[in-house]
Amino acid sequence: QNPTQVGTALQVFYNLGTLKDTIANVVDGYCTVLEENIKNALDIKVLTQPSQTVTRGGPGRAAMPTPGNTAAFRAALWTNMEKLMDQICAACGQVQHLQKVLTKKRDPVSHVCFIEEIVKDGQSDILYKFWTAVTQTLSSQFQSATDSSMFLKQAFEGEYPKLLRLYNDLWKRLQQYSQNIQRNFNTSATTDLFAELQQMEEDAQDIFMQKNEDYDPEKALKDSLQQYEAAYLSKSLSRLFDPINLVFPPGGRNPPSSDELDSIIKTIASELNVAAVDPDLSLAVAKNVAKTIQLYGVKSEQLLSTQGDASQVIGPLTEGQRRNVAVVNSLYKLHQSVLKVITNQSSFPAAAEQTVTTALKAVHDLMGSAVQPLLNSVGDSVEAIIITMHQEDFSGSLSSSVKPDVPCSLYMKELQGFIARVMSDYFRHFECFDFVFDNTEAMAQRAIELFIRHASLIRPLGEGGKMRLAADFAQMELAVAPLCRRVSDLGKSYRQLRSFRPLLFQTSEHIASSPALGEVIPFSIILQFLFTRAPPELKSPFQRAEWSIARYSQWLDDHPSEKDRLALIRGALEAYVQSVRAREGKEFAPVYPIMVQLLQKAMSTLQ
């Protein structure tokens, strides 16, 4: 390891004309010694001897650990492997050093650089030659040793992460050593012998410091490990799948218990922890974990009830609904637990995290499709209740209801009762509150949208009716409250509900200039509402089309764009103009010009 002495020796052999052969012999010598080291480290006879004295096995005696001695055999093997890594590192260091001196040293007379002497016959550089020899020997020796001994094979496959860690550490040490040599040469460049170093450019010869396009030394080192990695990953996948197949027996009806799920999560955590020694291994195991999560999802999906009773909302929970709730709760627990495992992984590669997260998203989607039939039923029932407001009479004048406190309407009482019952009978059993609220809040927004839509269609609407409808608006907030964390979280729907109520009592001119128009409440809703203030001759769009209110509501759902809705309203206004002209009327209803003006304003905002 002394550059000056090595340099002097190289000069002697150069002068003798044997530089090239000497170097070749030295490097070959290192290779031979390492080959011996590798053979000894993997020698099953030595490993299985209880004492250090090696006795010849009798004819036909297989060398194998005695029962109960496997632990000692494994310990000896890993000690040998660590020693082998030290030996490879030491030999490599000497070749690296030799190569470094060769690239720096020139003959003082002819100024030939010694490395050129070695390379001129098309010889590749000695470090590359040495490294390919060592990695090939590793591959072939490991292969033949594990082919002939089941115990070695099991040790390397079963404890593959340990083996990989040794290789990774070796690689780090080699790179570290390269950097140190570089520094030592730069500092020792003061001696006379190395005066020529100062004229030398920095060499880029060291293969451990830079990747070549067509040769990756780290890959060459790890190629010998491929078969053990494949076997390890396949066993790892079995370890992950086994507990799942166990808790979902064929013909089973129930999702796994908490304890069973815990053991699945423990297995996932343990596989990820063991693989954390190496980013590539982490990613490979993460892919296995993703497959495991998929398997859990597939098995859970088979338990879901999709029969009619899964979506009924009339009676108490049916057997199928109870099972669906249990499946969703179990998927939720898996989702949360695996998320926790990932967040607790230190230095988890981003690609590995992405792989697992994608699988978890599929679990979340499955939870969604499991509750969808029930949500659809509840949504349909809510709509059916709201539409019954048209069966009630809102035409009364104020005098008929002198009572100061106006009770809410019948349909509103029914709606409140239904929503409260659905939440307590069905949704209360789900443990994933956020997930449930994410779904039911969407339902609350839809209920408010429908309520405002149908309230704006009520015709005729008397002063007393307005009072009762205003009370219904207030009660609507209470009706949807169980569906949300806070009613005010419903955003735009909530603002619409709040903004529409005062419009009931304002004059048409007032309404037309309301700041809420277009901003909070769509123009089409306000125009729809203004039809109630017109004479019967000015027919609402659905009356003109001779549709039922339910059909009109469906049409509005199918045509969410304002443009389509306003076009329908314009048609109704134009038909009114035609009918007034046909009977040779002298003037239009007072609300008509306001509506036309509003329609123009609405159309202009769409441009």
Side-chain angles (χ1 to χ4, degrees):
Q1 294 293 305
N2 180 326
T4 314
Q5 289 178 356
V6 174
T8 309
L10 290 173
Q11 183 69 56
V12 171
F13 289 113
Y14 179 74
N15 293 347
L16 292 172
T18 58
L19 179 64
K20 192 168 175 181
D21 298 345
T22 310
I23 298 277
N25 290 340
V26 169
V27 176
D28 289 347
Y30 285 137
C31 291
T32 315
V33 171
L34 277 184
E35 186 163 356
E36 273 308 295
N37 292 341
I38 295 170
K39 276 184 184 153
N40 292 339
L42 299 175
D43 187 341
I44 190 79
K45 290 199 179 72
V46 179
L47 285 166
T48 50
Q49 285 310 319
S51 66
Q52 288 311 305
T53 55
V54 181
T55 51
R56 295 271 313 132
R61 254 190 78 202
M64 51 195 287
T66 47
N69 212 16
T70 315
F73 159 74
R74 288 261 172 120
L77 173 65
W78 291 116
T79 312
N80 279 6
M81 290 306 299
E82 283 173 18
K83 206 164 88 193
L84 176 62
M85 294 298 149
D86 293 342
Q87 291 163 333
I88 295 176
C89 196
C92 219
Q94 291 174 317
V95 178
Q96 278 178 285
H97 184 258
L98 182 56
Q99 166 139 335
K100 188 65 95 174
V101 179
L102 281 169
T103 50
K104 300 287 189 189
K105 182 89 179 90
R106 291 177 182 275
D107 177 55
V109 183
S110 66
H111 297 298
V112 170
C113 184
F114 285 176
I115 196 80
E116 289 164 13
E117 216 22 52
I118 310 275
V119 180
K120 68 177 171 206
D121 294 347
Q123 278 274 342
S124 54
D125 65 300
I126 58 170
L127 186 55
Y128 171 76
K129 186 178 159 201
F130 166 76
W131 190 244
T132 38
V134 171
T135 50
Q136 278 161 5
T137 307
L138 272 172
S139 286
S140 60
Q141 290 295 333
F142 266 68
Q143 181 75 49
S144 59
T146 49
D147 281 351
S148 58
S149 161
M150 201 56 202
F151 283 93
L152 276 178
K153 190 171 157 65
Q154 285 170 344
F156 286 155
E157 289 177 358
E159 298 189 68
Y160 170 73
K162 213 173 195 171
L163 185 60
L164 181 60
R165 195 176 75 233
L166 288 174
Y167 272 63
N168 281 342
D169 291 346
L170 169 65
W171 180 251
K172 280 201 195 89
R173 280 155 72 191
L174 293 175
Q175 288 189 302
Q176 190 55 52
Y177 184 75
S178 298
Q179 289 164 346
N180 293 347
I181 291 191
Q182 193 70 48
R183 270 200 295 277
N184 295 347
F185 270 78
N186 292 349
T187 50
S188 68
T190 48
T191 55
D192 292 341
L193 187 65
F194 280 91
E196 62 263 44
L197 276 179
Q198 283 144 337
Q199 290 92 52
M200 295 275 305
E201 75 296 342
E202 273 307 312
D203 68 324
Q205 276 292 301
D206 192 330
I207 57 167
F208 297 122
M209 294 299 289
Q210 52 166 90
K211 292 263 164 76
N212 195 330
E213 281 75 67
D214 40 6
Y215 183 72
D216 177 347
E218 185 180 8
K219 186 175 174 301
L221 171 65
K222 288 187 180 174
D223 274 351
S224 56
L225 300 179
Q226 263 174 343
Q227 53 167 337
Y228 312 118
E229 176 170 49
Y232 175 79
L233 287 172
S234 137
K235 285 182 176 142
S236 157
L237 190 60
S238 301
R239 285 195 293 273
L240 287 162
F241 274 16
D242 288 349
I244 293 184
N245 288 324
L246 206 64
V247 298
F248 285 100
R253 308 278 289 163
N254 295 316
S257 68
S258 295
D259 292 347
E260 290 170 334
L261 185 57
D262 284 345
S263 96
I264 292 170
I265 298 300
K266 279 201 186 97
T267 310
I268 289 177
S270 129
E271 291 297 320
L272 287 173
N273 290 338
V274 175
V277 295
D278 180 83
D280 292 337
L281 185 62
S282 277
L283 177 58
V285 171
K287 287 180 178 163
N288 278 354
V289 168
K291 288 179 191 162
T292 310
I293 295 169
Q294 282 164 348
L295 178 68
Y296 194 93
V298 169
K299 298 271 187 190
S300 299
E301 191 169 8
Q302 290 164 355
L303 296 179
L304 288 173
S305 161
T306 50
Q307 306 307 314
D309 70 339
S311 56
Q312 67 83 33
V313 286
I314 299 155
L317 269 187
T318 62
E319 181 50 42
Q321 285 175 321
R322 207 177 291 282
R323 194 164 68 245
N324 287 0
V325 167
V327 170
V328 170
N329 285 340
S330 145
L331 288 168
Y332 173 69
K333 272 191 205 136
L334 174 86
H335 186 281
Q336 296 308 96
S337 310
V338 174
L339 264 186
K340 198 164 156 201
V341 169
I342 304 181
T343 33
N344 291 342
Q345 286 292 317
S346 56
S347 68
F348 199 41
E353 189 168 340
Q354 184 57 52
T355 306
V356 180
T357 316
T358 308
L360 286 179
K361 189 184 173 307
V363 168
H364 197 268
D365 293 346
L366 178 59
M367 289 164 63
S369 54
V371 294
Q372 204 50 55
L374 185 60
L375 290 167
N376 291 346
S377 276
V378 173
D380 291 347
S381 305
V382 165
E383 179 161 12
I385 295 171
I386 289 176
I387 214 164
T388 60
M389 71 162 72
H390 298 289
Q391 294 166 17
E392 301 195 24
D393 180 13
F394 285 92
S395 61
S397 60
L398 255 182
S399 55
S400 66
S401 56
V402 266
K403 285 183 281 197
D405 57 331
V406 183
C408 67
S409 313
L410 277 175
Y411 73 91
M412 186 53 76
K413 276 204 181 70
E414 189 187 346
L415 183 65
Q416 289 177 345
F418 175 73
I419 289 178
R421 181 175 68 77
V422 162
M423 288 309 280
S424 72
D425 280 5
Y426 308 120
F427 293 110
R428 183 174 52 87
H429 302 287
F430 290 103
E431 286 159 20
C432 32
F433 300 120
D434 284 334
F435 167 75
V436 167
F437 277 134
D438 289 343
N439 283 292
T440 54
E441 280 177 358
M443 203 156 42
Q445 289 169 326
R446 166 79 176 151
I448 291 176
E449 180 195 340
L450 285 169
F451 172 71
I452 295 175
R453 171 187 300 172
H454 287 290
S456 71
L457 289 174
I458 289 175
R459 195 173 176 184
L461 182 62
E463 288 304 311
K466 283 183 190 171
M467 291 300 282
R468 200 170 87 225
L469 193 54
D472 291 346
F473 266 87
Q475 291 293 327
M476 186 64 187
E477 284 186 38
L478 298 177
V480 297
L483 298 173
C484 10
R485 298 172 181 92
R486 289 196 306 273
V487 182
S488 52
D489 288 347
L490 296 178
K492 199 168 177 188
S493 319
Y494 176 70
R495 292 199 302 277
Q496 278 187 16
L497 190 66
R498 282 289 174 101
S499 312
F500 196 97
R501 190 178 167 207
L503 302 183
L504 293 173
F505 304 104
Q506 293 179 3
T507 64
S508 305
E509 291 80 7
H510 236 108
I511 292 174
S513 58
S514 161
L517 262 185
E519 276 300 306
V520 185
I521 309 172
F523 283 106
S524 58
I525 296 266
I526 298 291
L527 282 163
Q528 223 164 250
F529 173 60
L530 289 176
F531 277 101
T532 61
R533 305 190 167 193
E537 189 183 3
L538 177 40
K539 288 180 176 170
S540 298
F542 70 92
Q543 291 170 328
R544 174 180 165 254
E546 297 183 350
W547 290 341
S548 67
I549 285 190
R551 183 174 168 195
Y552 179 49
S553 185
Q554 182 58 54
W555 185 91
L556 291 172
D557 285 339
D558 297 339
H559 298 79
S561 89
E562 272 289 88
K563 199 172 177 188
D564 293 347
R565 295 176 173 193
L566 291 170
L568 195 71
I569 289 170
R570 169 191 274 150
L573 291 174
E574 285 168 355
Y576 168 66
V577 175
Q578 298 295 325
S579 70
V580 172
R581 293 217 173 107
R583 65 172 172 76
E584 294 179 354
K586 294 286 179 283
E587 56 184 18
F588 296 121
V591 79
Y592 170 75
I594 299 172
M595 290 174 78
V596 171
Q597 209 179 340
L598 250 188
L599 183 64
Q600 281 163 351
K601 187 173 167 190
M603 295 306 276
S604 66
T605 58
L606 286 180
Q607 299 310 323

